Amino acid sequence: MKPSLAGRITHIAAWVILSILIIPSLVAFPVSVTSKTYLSLPWEGVSLQHFRNLLTSAEWMSSFAQSLVIALASSALATLLGTLASIGLWRLSGRFIETLRAFLLLPLMVPPIISAMAFYRWWVPMGLIDSYLGIILSHSILAIPMVVITVSAA
């Protein structure tokens, strides 16, 4: 059976979109192993100097450690709260419960810049701006809907 014109166009469009998404990644890695001190393709030689500089830099390692702490804490908190909320919503029923479920999924519908402005407005009076706790709470609030959806579907 021969594919229809619409099927062929969809197939070609999918390959074009996939190429647009993949090609930058295929360029980024060779640029990262250049022997030059600036961004260029490695025409004269391959070097891992940029990776060595990254992994031996105290500033970058500190940033990695801070990111790891924030990621682990916020994912643990979101998993705990999202799972408890999902189980509670599963066991109960009613109009209020569906409203609560919609409220829990709200962070998925709100644009991130609006969420950031809301967090800023809430965290300033509490002194949580530029603190680990503020960042962990913000990331957890944004991750809870994904946990609720995943656990509710299971």
Side-chain angles (χ1 to χ4, degrees):
M1 186 166 111
K2 190 173 183 179
S4 67
L5 178 63
R8 283 185 276 175
I9 290 173
T10 303
H11 190 78
I12 290 170
W15 276 107
V16 167
I17 291 170
L18 186 63
S19 298
I20 289 170
L21 294 173
I22 297 294
I23 288 173
S25 298
L26 298 176
V27 172
F29 181 73
V31 167
S32 72
V33 293
T34 186
S35 59
K36 305 271 186 189
T37 57
Y38 53 88
L39 294 178
S40 67
L41 287 172
W43 300 118
E44 283 119 25
V46 176
S47 170
L48 297 176
Q49 70 179 354
H50 299 297
F51 291 101
R52 183 177 51 247
N53 292 341
L54 176 74
L55 296 175
T56 58
S57 168
E59 294 87 7
W60 278 106
M61 295 312 290
S62 172
S63 296
F64 288 149
Q66 290 175 19
S67 294
L68 183 64
V69 167
I70 291 167
L72 291 175
S74 62
S75 61
L77 184 62
T79 302
L80 175 71
L81 296 176
T83 302
L84 291 174
S86 188
I87 292 170
L89 292 171
W90 171 68
R91 294 193 42 101
L92 301 172
S93 63
R95 191 171 173 185
F96 174 73
I97 298 303
E98 292 308 314
T99 304
L100 184 59
R101 183 185 313 272
F103 180 76
L104 286 173
L105 298 179
L106 196 61
L108 288 178
M109 297 175 249
V110 176
I113 188 67
I114 303 301
S115 296
M117 290 168 48
F119 292 142
Y120 187 81
R121 175 84 167 110
W122 292 338
W123 294 170
V124 166
M126 292 188 259
L128 293 176
I129 292 295
D130 201 23
S131 70
Y132 279 109
L133 183 59
I135 294 172
I136 290 168
L137 288 174
S138 299
H139 280 89
S140 297
I141 290 169
L142 294 175
I144 285 173
M146 291 172 254
V147 175
V148 169
I149 289 171
T150 305
V151 174
S152 295

